[in-house]
Amino acid sequence: MELMKLEIVTPNGVIFDAEVKQVNLPGSEGEFGVLAGHATLVSLLDTGVIVIDKADGSEVAVAINSGYVKVDEEKTTCIVDGAVALSGGDSDLAKALDAAKELLKSAESSNTAIASAVAKVEQIGKSL
């Protein structure tokens, strides 16, 4: 399977930079997946959870409040206002889940999007 470079950038700097198999993003028009070789696009990101399938087969989830993504055939770059990693080696998961819920609830987004994202965070917490 082909890999692509994924970068997630916040105002505090780069929080994720690695080769990945796939990334699922909370687009403003709904969730969508990106694989290597995807057509070029720019999209707004809504409050939600980015789910990353890493090259080693592990999965990382990152809660975001808003931003945008630029996709091209080789690289996907997410520029987000705020992000909290929910999995992928964080030793204090309970704190991360609480921080993610606070981040999502503080977002200036629709109540439906926030409720959906918080539910997804809680589901991730139960599965870990």
Side-chain angles (χ1 to χ4, degrees):
M1 174 175 263
E2 283 188 63
L3 298 177
M4 69 176 173
K5 185 167 179 68
L6 173 65
E7 194 174 66
I8 302 175
V9 183
T10 72
N12 298 324
V14 176
I15 63 161
F16 188 91
D17 185 2
E19 296 282 317
V20 302
K21 292 180 186 175
Q22 178 176 347
V23 60
N24 291 316
L25 300 160
S28 59
E29 301 294 318
E31 286 190 27
F32 65 97
V34 177
L35 296 165
H38 196 288
T40 301
L41 69 88
V42 174
S43 175
L44 290 173
L45 295 176
D46 209 351
T47 301
V49 179
I50 296 173
V51 179
I52 304 159
D53 292 328
K54 293 173 61 177
D56 65 5
S58 64
E59 191 174 90
V60 176
V62 179
I64 64 163
N65 57 3
S66 66
Y68 72 92
V69 61
K70 180 180 181 280
V71 175
D72 64 38
E73 292 179 12
E74 315 270 318
K75 181 178 179 182
T76 298
T77 305
C78 300
I79 309 292
V80 298
D81 289 336
V84 176
L86 302 174
S87 56
D90 192 328
S91 59
D92 198 347
L93 185 62
K95 251 188 214 172
L97 289 170
D98 288 342
K101 288 178 196 174
E102 287 305 310
L103 174 74
L104 295 171
K105 287 176 183 172
S106 71
E108 292 182 16
S109 188
S110 75
N111 288 337
T112 306
I114 293 169
S116 172
V118 169
K120 195 166 198 170
V121 166
E122 289 170 348
Q123 180 183 4
I124 290 168
K126 289 175 186 167
S127 68
L128 296 176

